[in-house]
Amino acid sequence: NKEKKRSLNNYEPSPIFLYDASATGKNLILSNSSKYSNYSTKDMYANTCYDSIKKVDEFYFSGFGIRPVTNNKENEIHSYIHQKKAYNNAYWNGKTLHFGDVDNRLFTGMVGEDIVAHELGHAVVDSHSDSGLSYVSQSGAINESIADIFAIIMKNSGKNISSEDIN
Protein backbone atom coordinates (compact mmCIF):
# COMPACT_ATOMS: atom_id res chain seq x y z
CA ASN A 1 0.00 0.00 0.00
CA LYS A 2 2.32 2.71 -1.33
CA GLU A 3 -0.20 5.54 -1.07
CA LYS A 4 -0.66 4.94 2.65
CA LYS A 5 3.11 4.75 3.09
CA ARG A 6 3.60 8.10 1.35
CA SER A 7 0.84 9.93 3.21
CA LEU A 8 2.11 12.84 5.26
CA ASN A 9 -0.30 11.66 7.96
CA ASN A 10 2.23 8.85 8.50
CA TYR A 11 5.25 11.13 8.18
CA GLU A 12 7.66 11.20 11.10
CA PRO A 13 10.74 13.35 10.44
CA SER A 14 14.07 11.59 10.29
CA PRO A 15 16.28 12.38 13.28
CA ILE A 16 18.43 15.34 12.21
CA PHE A 17 21.70 16.31 13.86
CA LEU A 18 23.49 19.48 12.78
CA TYR A 19 27.06 20.06 13.99
CA ASP A 20 29.42 23.01 13.74
CA ALA A 21 32.52 21.68 11.96
CA SER A 22 34.54 24.78 12.86
CA ALA A 23 34.34 23.94 16.57
CA THR A 24 36.61 21.48 18.32
CA GLY A 25 34.99 18.06 18.68
CA LYS A 26 31.39 17.29 17.78
CA ASN A 27 29.59 20.52 18.55
CA LEU A 28 25.89 19.74 18.13
CA ILE A 29 23.96 22.95 17.50
CA LEU A 30 20.53 21.77 16.30
CA SER A 31 18.55 18.53 16.45
CA ASN A 32 14.96 17.35 16.29
CA SER A 33 15.80 14.22 18.28
CA SER A 34 13.75 14.05 21.49
CA LYS A 35 17.03 13.44 23.29
CA TYR A 36 18.44 16.79 22.12
CA SER A 37 15.37 18.86 21.21
CA ASN A 38 16.24 21.82 23.45
CA TYR A 39 19.14 22.92 21.22
CA SER A 40 18.77 26.29 19.51
CA THR A 41 21.06 28.77 17.80
CA LYS A 42 21.09 32.33 16.48
CA ASP A 43 23.30 31.18 13.59
CA MET A 44 21.08 31.93 10.56
CA TYR A 45 23.20 29.71 8.28
CA ALA A 46 22.60 26.81 10.68
CA ASN A 47 18.87 27.53 10.91
CA THR A 48 18.54 27.70 7.11
CA CYS A 49 20.48 24.46 6.70
CA TYR A 50 18.41 22.69 9.36
CA ASP A 51 15.11 23.90 7.82
CA SER A 52 16.27 22.79 4.36
CA ILE A 53 17.17 19.32 5.63
CA LYS A 54 13.74 18.98 7.28
CA LYS A 55 11.94 20.04 4.08
CA VAL A 56 14.05 17.74 1.90
CA ASP A 57 13.47 14.79 4.25
CA GLU A 58 9.71 15.40 3.94
CA PHE A 59 10.08 15.78 0.14
CA TYR A 60 11.72 12.36 -0.21
CA PHE A 61 9.12 10.73 2.03
CA SER A 62 6.02 12.35 0.52
CA GLY A 63 7.20 12.20 -3.09
CA PHE A 64 8.92 8.83 -3.16
CA GLY A 65 8.02 7.05 0.08
CA ILE A 66 11.65 6.76 1.13
CA ARG A 67 14.05 8.05 3.75
CA PRO A 68 17.13 9.64 2.20
CA VAL A 69 19.54 8.05 4.67
CA THR A 70 19.22 4.38 5.60
CA ASN A 71 22.86 3.49 6.25
CA ASN A 72 22.42 3.74 10.00
CA LYS A 73 19.99 2.08 12.39
CA GLU A 74 17.80 5.10 13.08
CA ASN A 75 17.78 6.69 9.58
CA GLU A 76 19.55 9.66 11.15
CA ILE A 77 20.77 12.57 9.04
CA HIS A 78 24.06 13.90 10.40
CA SER A 79 25.30 17.19 8.92
CA TYR A 80 28.20 19.56 9.42
CA ILE A 81 28.16 23.27 8.60
CA HIS A 82 31.04 25.78 8.59
CA GLN A 83 33.25 23.11 6.99
CA LYS A 84 35.78 25.70 5.83
CA LYS A 85 35.84 29.46 5.34
CA ALA A 86 35.21 30.58 1.76
CA TYR A 87 34.58 26.95 0.78
CA ASN A 88 32.07 27.03 -2.07
CA ASN A 89 31.02 23.42 -1.83
CA ALA A 90 28.73 20.91 -0.18
CA TYR A 91 29.11 17.13 -0.26
CA TRP A 92 27.89 13.75 0.96
CA ASN A 93 30.81 11.61 2.16
CA GLY A 94 28.88 8.34 2.33
CA LYS A 95 27.70 8.90 5.91
CA THR A 96 27.27 12.62 6.57
CA LEU A 97 26.44 15.90 4.81
CA HIS A 98 29.00 18.73 4.78
CA PHE A 99 28.44 22.39 3.93
CA GLY A 100 31.19 24.95 3.46
CA ASP A 101 31.03 28.62 4.33
CA VAL A 102 30.78 30.40 1.01
CA ASP A 103 32.91 33.32 -0.12
CA ASN A 104 29.82 35.57 -0.62
CA ARG A 105 31.20 36.66 -3.99
CA LEU A 106 30.84 33.70 -6.32
CA PHE A 107 28.32 31.95 -4.06
CA THR A 108 25.98 33.40 -1.45
CA GLY A 109 24.65 30.21 0.09
CA MET A 110 25.29 26.51 0.11
CA VAL A 111 22.41 25.27 2.29
CA GLY A 112 19.32 25.84 0.12
CA GLU A 113 16.73 23.12 -0.37
CA ASP A 114 17.92 22.28 -3.90
CA ILE A 115 21.53 21.84 -2.75
CA VAL A 116 20.47 19.70 0.22
CA ALA A 117 18.21 17.64 -2.10
CA HIS A 118 21.19 17.13 -4.44
CA GLU A 119 23.55 16.01 -1.69
CA LEU A 120 20.93 13.77 -0.07
CA GLY A 121 20.31 12.43 -3.60
CA HIS A 122 23.73 10.81 -3.30
CA ALA A 123 22.58 9.27 -0.01
CA VAL A 124 19.46 7.94 -1.76
CA VAL A 125 21.60 6.33 -4.47
CA ASP A 126 23.87 4.85 -1.79
CA SER A 127 21.02 3.67 0.45
CA HIS A 128 18.35 2.55 -2.01
CA SER A 129 20.26 1.11 -4.91
CA ASP A 130 21.87 -2.23 -5.56
CA SER A 131 23.14 -0.84 -8.84
CA GLY A 132 26.73 -0.34 -7.74
CA LEU A 133 26.76 3.31 -8.79
CA SER A 134 30.02 4.03 -7.03
CA TYR A 135 31.21 7.59 -7.38
CA VAL A 136 33.85 7.00 -10.09
CA SER A 137 33.91 7.20 -13.90
CA GLN A 138 30.63 6.60 -15.73
CA SER A 139 28.79 5.24 -12.70
CA GLY A 140 29.86 8.40 -10.82
CA ALA A 141 28.44 10.53 -13.64
CA ILE A 142 25.13 8.67 -13.41
CA ASN A 143 25.17 9.08 -9.61
CA GLU A 144 25.74 12.83 -10.08
CA SER A 145 22.96 13.05 -12.67
CA ILE A 146 20.45 11.37 -10.37
CA ALA A 147 21.38 13.82 -7.60
CA ASP A 148 20.89 16.71 -10.06
CA ILE A 149 17.45 15.39 -11.01
CA PHE A 150 16.38 15.23 -7.36
CA ALA A 151 17.59 18.82 -6.88
CA ILE A 152 15.59 20.09 -9.86
CA ILE A 153 12.46 18.24 -8.74
CA MET A 154 12.84 19.75 -5.25
CA LYS A 155 13.48 23.23 -6.66
CA ASN A 156 10.37 23.06 -8.83
CA SER A 157 8.06 21.18 -6.46
CA GLY A 158 4.93 23.16 -5.77
CA LYS A 159 5.31 25.18 -8.97
CA ASN A 160 2.63 24.82 -11.60
CA ILE A 161 4.78 24.03 -14.63
CA SER A 162 3.34 22.76 -17.90
CA SER A 163 5.02 21.39 -21.00
CA GLU A 164 4.44 24.79 -22.70
CA ASP A 165 6.73 26.38 -20.09
CA ILE A 166 9.67 24.28 -21.29
CA ASN A 167 11.43 25.65 -24.35
Side-chain angles (χ1 to χ4, degrees), residues 1-12 60-67 128:
N1 190 338
K2 276 187 175 179
E3 291 309 312
K4 186 176 180 186
K5 182 179 176 185
R6 290 182 185 182
S7 167
L8 284 180
N9 294 333
N10 298 325
Y11 173 70
E12 291 284 330
Y60 279 112
F61 186 82
S62 64
F64 305 101
I66 59 174
R67 297 289 180 187
H128 298 280

Side-chain angles (χ1 to χ4, degrees), residues 34-149:
S34 58
K35 196 172 171 183
Y36 302 103
S37 62
N38 60 348
Y39 279 70
S40 65
T41 182
K42 292 181 180 179
D43 181 339
M44 291 309 297
Y45 197 67
N47 287 318
T48 301
C49 185
Y50 181 78
D51 290 343
S52 293
I53 293 168
K54 285 194 311 188
K55 288 179 184 171
V56 171
D57 178 58
E58 183 180 314
F59 160 77
Y60 279 112
F61 186 82
S62 64
F64 305 101
I66 59 174
R67 297 289 180 187
V69 177
T70 60
N71 65 356
N72 59 55
K73 189 171 87 173
E74 303 297 326
N75 300 329
E76 297 170 342
I77 302 172
H78 292 268
S79 306
Y80 292 85
I81 60 165
H82 306 307
Q83 193 64 40
K84 292 179 188 173
K85 296 274 185 221
Y87 184 61
N88 296 328
N89 202 2
Y91 61 92
W92 167 255
N93 73 359
K95 294 185 181 204
T96 55
L97 291 166
H98 296 262
F99 301 95
D101 284 342
V102 295
D103 61 12
N104 286 314
R105 288 185 326 219
L106 188 58
F107 290 95
T108 57
M110 201 51 64
V111 294
E113 294 170 14
D114 57 333
I115 293 171
V116 173
H118 172 94
E119 297 309 331
L120 281 176
H122 294 299
V124 168
V125 170
D126 290 350
S127 299
H128 298 280
S129 173
D130 293 331
S131 63
L133 289 177
S134 56
Y135 201 78
V136 293
S137 297
Q138 283 117 343
S139 64
I142 294 169
N143 185 319
E144 193 63 35
S145 297
I146 291 169
D148 287 342
I149 291 166

